[in-house]
Amino acid sequence: ELKVEQNPLFLSMQEGKNYTIYCNYSTTSDRLYWYRQDPGKSLESLFVLLSNGAVKQEGRLMASLDTKARLSTLHITAAVHDLSATYFCAVEVHSGYALNFGKGTSLLVTP
Amino acid sequence: DVKVTQSSRYLVKRTGEKVFLECVQDMDHENMFWYRQDPGLGLRLIYFSYDVKMKEKGDIPEGYSVSREKKERFSLILESASTNQTSMYLCASTPGTGGPSTEAFFGQGTRLTVV
């Protein structure tokens, strides 16, 4: 059974600080996804990581994938309040199969 | 603009009622999924479908069934609603297998309360 573990599950950070969210998964996978969810809203796709060593950046967020370590990171640079949300990683074991989600990291950025 | 549309944002149903949650996608995607989301548990897969009239159980299918009569539509059915099925339900779709990416697109969610 594929397990996807995120940590931390809760994160409160000050504006301007840097932090990293970790996503570990238990079986081989070539594809990993990061999603953002605002309160009461659905999931919005942030990054699609399709190969070992993949790195993608959008604004203050950068995601990377190490398939050998079965680890993905979501790095936040100089956090701002607008980044407050819940972030999920999701792993796809086989192409086209359902995604397995972590439990999410609830991020709160404070002044 | 890709779109996955769920028929209701909010639903309140009584225990024992039969409940239908509808999902429609306009991207000609092969695969469709139903998840439920509960605090502290993340998203859990209920059922999914790779093709019309095909369905597969996910991690928590008990108390649910699905129907996919047309490619664009995937329905989740609660045969006899119970209070422990109070949750946020999310529908998603992805393209067929073998493509460069099978990024999932999600509907806006249906918050179901069973009283």
Side-chain angles (χ1 to χ4, degrees):
Chain A
E1 178 190 341
L2 171 62
K3 292 187 178 178
V4 182
E5 294 187 352
Q6 284 181 242
N7 68 85
L9 296 182
F10 299 96
L11 176 57
S12 179
M13 55 190 300
Q14 286 184 312
E15 284 188 328
K17 299 291 187 182
N18 303 332
Y19 207 83
T20 300
I21 298 170
Y22 297 88
C23 176
N24 292 272
Y25 53 98
S26 63
T27 192
T28 303
S29 174
D30 291 332
R31 304 182 182 203
L32 189 135
Y33 304 81
W34 284 96
Y35 287 86
R36 168 182 171 143
Q37 186 179 39
D38 292 296
K41 302 287 182 64
S42 190
L43 275 73
E44 172 193 355
S45 178
L46 291 175
F47 299 109
V48 180
L49 302 170
L50 300 177
S51 61
N52 186 42
V55 177
K56 290 197 174 179
Q57 183 162 5
E58 180 74 33
R60 300 174 188 273
L61 300 178
M62 183 173 72
S64 66
L65 178 62
D66 181 343
T67 59
K68 294 179 181 178
R70 299 177 186 170
L71 171 69
S72 180
T73 60
L74 181 66
H75 187 72
I76 303 157
T77 301
V80 294
H81 179 71
D82 285 351
L83 291 179
S84 297
T86 299
Y87 294 86
F88 291 92
C89 66
V91 175
E92 179 185 15
V93 177
H94 301 294
S95 173
Y97 277 42
L99 298 180
N100 292 270
F101 283 82
K103 292 185 177 180
T105 296
S106 180
L107 171 65
L108 176 64
V109 181
T110 58
Chain B
D1 208 21
V2 296
K3 193 171 280 187
V4 179
T5 304
Q6 294 181 228
S7 54
S8 303
R9 289 294 308 274
Y10 301 95
L11 276 179
V12 180
K13 296 291 182 181
R14 295 192 180 278
T15 301
E17 276 193 77
K18 191 169 186 176
V19 181
F20 293 85
L21 304 183
E22 306 286 346
C23 175
V24 177
Q25 51 93 5
D26 64 0
M27 298 165 283
D28 200 34
H29 281 175
E30 304 289 333
N31 309 322
M32 297 188 74
F33 309 87
W34 277 105
Y35 292 88
R36 68 176 277 178
Q37 182 179 17
D38 301 287
L41 297 178
L43 277 74
R44 293 179 292 167
L45 182 65
I46 305 172
Y47 266 98
F48 55 103
S49 169
Y50 293 142
D51 200 353
V52 175
K53 296 192 185 295
M54 293 184 67
K55 59 185 179 183
E56 297 282 346
K57 292 181 180 180
D59 298 321
I60 51 164
E62 296 79 17
Y64 303 94
S65 62
V66 291
S67 172
R68 193 167 180 200
E69 296 296 319
K70 294 185 178 181
K71 188 177 185 179
E72 66 270 19
R73 186 180 297 271
F74 192 36
S75 303
L76 180 69
I77 304 157
L78 285 67
E79 297 290 343
S80 177
S82 64
T83 54
N84 63 12
Q85 293 178 309
T86 292
S87 185
M88 169 74 92
Y89 290 87
L90 291 164
C91 174
S93 71
T94 66
T97 59
S101 168
T102 49
E103 178 184 357
F105 295 89
F106 282 83
Q108 76 275 30
T110 296
R111 184 163 294 282
L112 172 68
T113 302
V114 182
V115 297

